[in-house]
Amino acid sequence: MSFWVAFYSLQFGERDYCKRIGQEYANSLYITDTIKDRITGNLFAALDTAPDQIRDATIAFLSTFITAVAPAVWQNKFMKVWRKANGDGSAFKESYRNAFAKLVYPAVHYMENVELLVELASDFLAAGQIDRENVQLNYTYHLQLNFYFSRVSRRAYDFSTIDNLIGVNIERIVDRQLDPLYMLGNLRGLLKPEQKDLIREKVAAMDFSRITDSRFWSVALYFADGDQVIVKKLKAFVLKNKSLWDTGYLKKEGDGNSWTYSDPIILERLSKSESRHWGIEWTKKEINVLAKLLLSKKEEFDLIMRHRERLFDYESLSEEMNWFVRTYKEKLQNQTYAAGLLDLTETFYRYNTHFKLVEDGLMSMDKADVNWALGDIAARFNHDEVDEAQMVMVLNKVLFQAEPAVESCLGYLIYWVEQEGYRNKSFWGARGLILSVLRKYRFHPLEGTDRSFSDYHLCRIALALQKAEVSDPDLQWWLDRAKSSPFNSIKQLLKRDSNGVEMD
């Protein structure tokens, strides 16, 4: 790729275009590590004096380019820019206005210097003390994804400043100011037991009737840590919360209806499961209450299906309904309302899609339909209702790179292969097909996409197959590629794998 492309892009290109060019340079096999290092150093150095438009374009370029440059090359340069932005307040503008925020996200995700990561954590916590936009929530989210930060040792660093800031943020937690709670949830790996105890006391003292944010309940449940008094209180308020099965319906206005976006409480995130041991166990009586509340909204669902266009507004709600009837089908099946509940759930799901069969969704040329179909397969997979023919269809779609939504298929496929490796290692009778996928992408990478994305997913598949004691030359090629990969996402993947850390 010509360097003139980057030169003119940074002067005249829009942010999104420059971000794409940065990605293309990161993926290029013809740009050596030495040249990448020089480009990175020169662009970071230029940020101090560049005019605003060129500075924003340069930041957009770097936000994707540094994903394929060793953190040792750029992390100190990034911190120089960060300290200046933090000092003048520009680091904490709302992210959709803030070009710099788009660079912070990958930087904090992939940095390796723990001392610098601890400094950033301190800055994020300090920003929470004053009246700024809550972009620091996004910063702390990406920080907690960093492998090195997740392994930070309190014995190795001075945490006195951070502990003071944690204390300040704990004091700021009230039922009308939940951002400090969410930020501390993102930084939960830093918290000492006594700090978690203080947060639990804060949660216990809240007036849950004033909570309107559906995100709150799962975070509060995490910090409740099995405290049955808090869990009982949470249950009671969830069961009567207006966000349960929220359709976004507000009220009738004359002859019409008033709507807002659907923001339901996600019961799946609250409920006990194999991976969520601290979740809520619902009694049969409570499950009946939840079911009847869902049925009581039938008129609202009917209005949606009669008067609102088919939008993606209702993906979470529809998935939540499907999860509920599948998870509790045995406790619901003998109820007089069971048939009506199943019919409502199925009808609303079909309203949101253009297809009647999952197979039709997978073959659709509409990306939204493919994603709905993948979500349906995932829900069945999580309930051990695997349809092997559907799995083979997904594998064939990936193998033949049959757009749309091949990247989405890869995203689901890594989880399914990893879980199947842990379970019975049969891989739906399609082990050979999975190996064919690895071979295909070895010689024919997915074009027009982020190479780091597809490589990351294929390396994870290879690692999962290796754990299942599968041996194959193409699998080994991907394992070797992972070890020599320039992409920071894959470097951290290998760190997590070698340390037995659960994948994101």
Side-chain angles (χ1 to χ4, degrees):
M1 177 176 287
S2 169
F3 291 102
W4 290 109
V5 174
F7 177 77
Y8 285 112
S9 297
L10 296 179
Q11 293 190 75
F12 306 111
E14 297 293 329
R15 286 185 196 173
D16 288 346
Y17 180 73
C18 292
K19 185 176 179 180
R20 180 62 186 269
I21 294 299
Q23 178 181 302
E24 292 289 338
Y25 274 62
N27 293 343
S28 175
L29 300 177
Y30 304 104
I31 300 178
T32 65
D33 289 345
T34 301
I35 294 175
K36 285 181 179 179
D37 295 352
R38 287 171 57 191
I39 292 173
T40 304
N42 289 338
L43 291 181
F44 268 108
L47 290 178
D48 272 343
T49 57
D52 287 348
Q53 180 180 342
I54 294 179
R55 184 177 188 275
D56 286 356
T58 303
I59 285 171
F61 180 94
L62 284 169
S63 70
T64 49
F65 186 65
I66 63 169
T67 62
V69 181
V73 172
W74 53 260
Q75 55 193 358
N76 285 313
K77 297 177 176 65
F78 166 78
M79 286 302 295
K80 181 181 177 182
V81 178
W82 166 262
R83 289 169 187 139
K84 181 179 179 182
N86 188 37
D88 64 25
S90 62
F92 290 97
K93 291 179 183 177
E94 288 179 291
S95 59
Y96 70 90
R97 297 179 192 163
N98 188 356
F100 182 58
K102 302 301 189 294
L103 175 60
V104 178
Y105 300 154
V108 300
H109 192 154
Y110 296 125
M111 286 170 63
E112 296 177 350
N113 186 311
V114 177
E115 187 173 357
L116 297 180
L117 291 168
V118 170
E119 178 183 342
L120 285 168
S122 178
D123 289 342
F124 299 159
L125 286 163
Q129 292 185 61
I130 57 180
D131 186 21
R132 291 181 175 177
E133 301 294 342
N134 66 1
V135 68
Q136 65 263 35
L137 289 183
N138 294 328
Y139 289 166
T140 54
Y141 170 77
H142 286 277
L143 182 61
Q144 59 91 20
L145 296 175
N146 184 296
F147 168 78
Y148 297 94
F149 183 74
S150 70
R151 309 281 287 182
V152 66
S153 168
R154 277 181 164 270
R155 291 190 297 272
Y157 300 93
D158 180 4
F159 269 71
S160 57
T161 300
I162 282 185
D163 284 335
N164 288 335
L165 291 166
I166 288 172
V168 170
N169 279 278
I170 291 173
E171 286 302 311
R172 293 178 62 239
I173 297 171
V174 292
D175 45 45
R176 289 297 188 183
Q177 176 55 276
L178 298 173
D179 286 349
L181 177 68
Y182 299 154
M183 184 162 58
L184 292 169
N186 285 342
L187 299 176
R188 57 191 176 274
L190 289 182
L191 300 176
K192 297 186 291 187
E194 54 267 34
Q195 291 167 334
K196 291 182 180 180
D197 290 342
L198 290 172
I199 296 173
R200 184 164 60 251
E201 291 172 10
K202 279 282 191 176
V203 170
M206 283 185 178
D207 180 356
F208 289 175
S209 67
R210 302 181 69 190
I211 302 297
T212 57
D213 188 342
S214 63
R215 294 176 298 171
F216 166 78
W217 306 100
S218 58
V219 180
L221 185 63
Y222 169 80
F223 281 115
D225 194 29
D227 185 310
Q228 289 307 302
V229 174
I230 301 177
V231 171
K232 185 177 179 180
K233 181 180 174 183
L234 277 166
K235 264 190 176 186
F237 279 91
V238 166
L239 287 169
K240 60 184 179 184
N241 193 283
K242 66 180 182 180
S243 293
L244 263 178
W245 315 118
D246 176 38
T247 64
Y249 180 75
L250 296 175
K251 62 180 179 179
K252 289 188 177 181
E253 292 186 348
D255 294 331
N257 297 288
S258 178
W259 302 86
T260 185
Y261 66 94
S262 169
D263 184 28
I265 293 174
I266 306 300
L267 291 171
E268 183 177 4
R269 295 178 192 161
L270 301 181
S271 304
K272 191 170 185 177
S273 66
E274 288 183 10
S275 61
R276 195 176 292 104
H277 60 86
W278 42 265
I280 291 175
E281 277 194 89
W282 302 100
T283 66
K284 187 172 183 179
K285 181 179 179 181
E286 289 163 343
I287 291 167
N288 283 329
V289 170
L290 292 168
K292 289 176 181 178
L293 284 169
L294 175 53
L295 278 170
S296 73
K297 301 226 173 185
K298 185 177 185 305
E299 182 180 353
E300 294 177 23
F301 285 106
D302 289 341
L303 285 170
I304 290 171
M305 291 185 281
R306 283 202 306 269
H307 300 299
R308 300 207 78 192
E309 294 181 4
R310 175 185 177 271
L311 300 171
F312 231 57
D313 292 358
Y314 304 107
E315 180 181 12
S316 294
L317 180 57
S318 185
E319 288 179 348
E320 181 71 3
M321 293 163 67
N322 274 292
W323 167 83
F324 180 73
V325 297
R326 283 175 175 153
T327 301
Y328 300 113
K329 61 183 179 182
E330 292 182 3
K331 294 181 179 179
L332 293 168
Q333 62 187 2
N334 295 324
Q335 301 299 321
T336 56
Y337 56 74
L341 181 66
L342 290 171
D343 180 67
L344 175 62
T345 302
E346 180 69 14
T347 302
F348 190 60
Y349 178 78
R350 296 306 168 203
Y351 157 78
N352 282 290
T353 65
H354 278 142
F355 55 86
K356 291 185 177 180
L357 299 175
V358 170
E359 290 81 358
D360 294 334
L362 289 175
M363 291 186 291
S364 173
M365 293 307 294
D366 185 332
K367 185 175 181 178
D369 283 340
V370 179
N371 283 324
W372 275 102
L374 290 168
D376 189 283
I377 295 171
R380 295 178 186 277
F381 182 93
N382 291 334
H383 287 87
D384 294 321
E385 299 172 3
V386 178
D387 185 315
E388 293 187 356
Q390 292 174 358
M391 289 293 186
V392 169
M393 283 190 70
V394 175
L395 280 163
N396 277 320
K397 188 172 175 65
V398 173
L399 177 63
F400 294 109
Q401 300 180 350
E403 296 289 1
V406 172
E407 286 186 323
S408 296
C409 291
L410 267 174
Y412 279 97
L413 194 59
I414 55 169
Y415 174 75
W416 295 336
V417 171
E418 285 172 348
Q419 293 304 307
E420 185 68 4
Y422 292 135
R423 291 176 179 179
N424 54 37
K425 304 180 183 179
S426 70
F427 298 105
W428 324 290
R431 182 181 300 184
L433 194 53
I434 299 172
L435 292 172
S436 294
V437 166
L438 294 180
R439 181 171 179 78
K440 172 66 175 280
Y441 284 75
R442 171 182 175 181
F443 294 106
H444 302 284
L446 194 60
E447 295 183 0
T449 61
D450 181 357
R451 182 69 182 268
S452 66
F453 176 90
S454 56
D455 275 18
Y456 173 83
H457 288 71
L458 292 159
C459 288
R460 269 184 74 167
I461 289 172
L463 286 167
L465 291 173
Q466 181 189 46
K467 287 186 176 69
E469 301 177 342
V470 177
S471 178
D472 180 84
D474 295 306
L475 183 155
Q476 187 59 50
W477 186 89
W478 279 102
L479 295 175
D480 293 339
R481 181 174 178 79
K483 294 174 184 176
S484 61
S485 175
F487 298 120
N488 292 314
S489 57
I490 296 175
K491 292 176 183 177
Q492 291 207 8
L493 167 69
L494 293 179
K495 285 286 186 181
R496 289 180 182 276
D497 181 70
S498 63
N499 285 272
V501 178
E502 187 175 345
M503 301 299 175
D504 300 326

